[in-house]
Amino acid sequence: QQQVKQSPQSLIVQKGGISIINCAYENTAFDYFPWYQQFPGKGPALLIAIRPDVSEKKEGRFTISFNKSAKQFSLHIMDSQPGDSATYFCAADGATTGTASKLTFGTGTRLQVTL
Amino acid sequence: NAGVTQTPKFRILKIGQSMTLQCAQDMNHNYMYWYRQDPGMGLKLIYYSVGAGITDKGEVPNGYNVSRSTTEDFPLRLELAAPSQTSVYFCASSPYNEQFFGPGTRLTVL
């Protein structure tokens, strides 16, 4: 069964601190690893994504670190802000050319950034 | 562009009733998806479609049906609603990898 395991389930970080969320996968056919951000009452929205040909991708305060040999990837939020308080989902996809993209989601991490 | 729209936003059903959750997108995406989101469980894929007239089952299809007669619309049908179908339902569309989600429908079955 394809699974993506995410931890921690919840996280409290002080303003200005670093938030780190981890995910691990089993299926070596996965080749696309996005992170989605979800605010209460809203649908998830793509935050940042990486493919396994690079070990790190940075967009502003958000960085994905990817370890192919360990089958793990993580989201780092630098200088965390109260506006970052949301639920974060990692996901993985192994669609090949001509097949449908189907994301397998982690169970989510509820991040709270305190003042 | 409105993106992905879903109706209704909220609905309460009685056990055994049926209903259709509506989903529409105006981005001309080929791929569309239905997910359910339960607390602490992430998002589970119910059904997906790769284009008009083509649908396939996801991870948790039992108790649901879909159709896709146009590129824009992808309704989800619940027949004989059960309490286990109490959840938040999200529709998404995608040009390929990135998925764009609607605002969700919160369904309660009593």
Side-chain angles (χ1 to χ4, degrees), chain B residues 9-83:
Chain B
K9 286 185 170 31
F10 305 94
R11 183 72 184 268
I12 298 175
L13 280 182
K14 294 183 178 179
I15 295 172
Q17 287 185 321
S18 300
M19 77 163 295
T20 299
L21 282 65
Q22 301 292 343
C23 174
Q25 55 99 2
D26 61 0
M27 297 174 283
N28 201 34
H29 290 163
N30 284 328
Y31 301 124
M32 294 190 74
Y33 307 83
W34 274 105
Y35 293 90
R36 59 177 289 170
Q37 183 177 34
D38 301 304
M41 298 296 291
L43 291 99
K44 300 292 186 183
L45 181 64
I46 304 171
Y47 270 96
Y48 67 99
S49 170
V50 301
I54 306 170
T55 63
D56 205 349
K57 296 177 181 178
E59 185 180 356
V60 290
N62 291 344
Y64 308 95
N65 275 301
V66 294
S67 61
R68 183 123 180 247
S69 58
T70 66
T71 299
E72 294 78 19
D73 300 298
F74 190 40
L76 178 71
R77 179 81 177 163
L78 278 72
E79 304 282 0
L80 298 175

Side-chain angles (χ1 to χ4, degrees), chain A residues 1 32 36 38 41-44 46 51 89 93 95-96 99-103 105-107, chain B residues 31 33 35 37 40-43 45 48 50 57 59 90 94 96-99 101-103:
Chain A
Q1 183 181 357
Y32 173 72
Y36 280 78
Q38 184 180 29
K42 304 291 186 183
L46 179 67
R51 292 194 181 273
F89 293 95
D93 183 14
T96 56
T99 66
S101 171
K102 289 188 290 182
L103 294 174
F105 283 87
T107 50
Chain B
Y31 301 124
Y33 307 83
Y35 293 90
Q37 183 177 34
M41 298 296 291
L43 291 99
L45 181 64
Y48 67 99
V50 301
K57 296 177 181 178
E59 185 180 356
F90 288 100
S94 172
Y96 187 58
N97 281 132
E98 179 178 359
Q99 295 189 17
F101 285 80

Side-chain angles (χ1 to χ4, degrees), chain A residues 8-71:
Chain A
Q9 191 173 10
S10 63
L11 182 61
I12 299 175
V13 174
Q14 277 196 325
K15 179 182 176 182
I18 302 173
S19 304
I20 302 174
I21 305 170
N22 301 299
C23 282
Y25 63 97
E26 300 171 354
N27 188 346
T28 55
F30 287 146
D31 66 352
Y32 173 72
F33 302 89
W35 284 89
Y36 280 78
Q37 180 187 55
Q38 184 180 29
F39 293 105
K42 304 291 186 183
L46 179 67
L47 185 63
I48 186 173
I50 196 169
R51 292 194 181 273
D53 53 344
V54 295
S55 60
E56 185 175 282
K57 183 174 182 180
K58 184 176 181 179
E59 291 185 359
R61 296 184 295 109
F62 302 91
T63 300
I64 299 179
S65 296
F66 186 81
N67 185 328
K68 188 174 181 178
S69 61
K71 293 188 285 185

